[in-house]
Amino acid sequence: QIQRRQAANDLVMTAVEPTMASTVIFLGLATICAGVVGLCGGCSESRCGALFFPSCTLLIGVACIIGGGIVLSQANGDGGSIEEACWTRQKTGNLQFQKARALQDDFDSLQAALSNCRKSRPEVLSLRDCGQLAKDDVGIWYKDRPRRALVEWLEQKFSCGGFCAADVAVFGYPWQQPQ
């Protein structure tokens, strides 16, 4: 339970690959099962059991390696697809990849919320300072956006605003020269 919460708290993985935490937990449980099967094989006195249990352990181990590889390649592929989608958007104006579109939609909503807040409080630099005034054009409060924490983390980590292209920093983190 603790590991599942820790894996689910990774902002990037939660936004890009929401099934990652469950998959990692499943692979860990399969590895434990492989150990139990191997232990049973070690305790077996029959020749058939001595061959069967290690064979099962090997198959479970191979399945875990293949499953882990698939999960990692999918996460890496999504990262590359988002980057490619942003590049295509800059060239054509279209954002095709669904996950990239969802991230851009959340950023656009956050930007609208900041703009709406500044209509009442022009001195505000960050959504965090807006309170209940930070609602987008359809009335969704900025804290209700599913990828808000990811946008804030990206803005803080890389000291810039925008998603696919440079834009206003909606959380007000100052720009810094990248190191």
Side-chain angles (χ1 to χ4, degrees):
Q1 195 62 291
I2 291 172
Q3 289 177 343
R4 183 182 198 131
R5 270 189 249 130
Q6 288 173 341
N9 286 340
D10 185 282
L11 295 172
V12 176
M13 291 311 298
T14 301
V16 177
E17 267 324 310
T19 60
M20 176 67 93
S22 299
T23 304
V24 169
I25 297 300
F26 174 76
L27 291 173
L29 291 173
T31 303
I32 290 170
C33 288
V36 170
V37 169
L39 183 63
C40 291
C43 295
S44 175
E45 293 184 19
S46 74
R47 179 177 243 189
C48 184
L51 183 61
F52 174 75
F53 288 113
S55 298
C56 287
T57 303
L58 178 64
L59 289 175
I60 293 171
V62 168
C64 286
I65 290 171
I66 291 170
I70 290 170
V71 167
L72 289 175
S73 68
Q74 185 176 8
N76 285 336
D78 283 350
S81 296
I82 288 172
E83 186 177 351
E84 184 178 327
C86 286
W87 182 84
T88 303
R89 179 178 182 230
Q90 290 174 357
K91 299 293 181 199
T92 67
N94 272 341
L95 192 56
Q96 299 292 328
F97 187 57
Q98 183 178 355
K99 290 180 182 180
R101 194 173 330 114
L103 286 163
Q104 184 65 51
D105 288 348
D106 276 359
F107 177 77
D108 292 344
S109 170
L110 294 170
Q111 193 175 37
L114 181 61
S115 177
N116 291 339
C117 172
R118 285 180 174 166
K119 289 175 185 172
S120 299
R121 298 184 55 204
E123 76 284 357
V124 167
L125 297 176
S126 168
L127 284 170
R128 291 184 312 270
D129 299 329
C130 289
Q132 293 295 323
L133 292 175
K135 292 184 179 178
D136 67 11
D137 295 333
V138 293
I140 298 174
W141 189 38
Y142 87 97
K143 285 192 174 182
D144 292 337
R145 298 309 299 183
R147 286 160 285 279
R148 170 198 51 86
L150 175 64
V151 171
E152 185 171 6
W153 177 81
L154 289 168
E155 195 174 292
Q156 184 177 21
K157 174 125 175 99
F158 297 105
S159 301
C160 63
F163 175 63
C164 276
D167 211 325
V168 174
V170 294
F171 290 99
Y173 290 105
W175 184 85
Q176 299 171 10
Q177 182 67 35
Q179 298 171 349

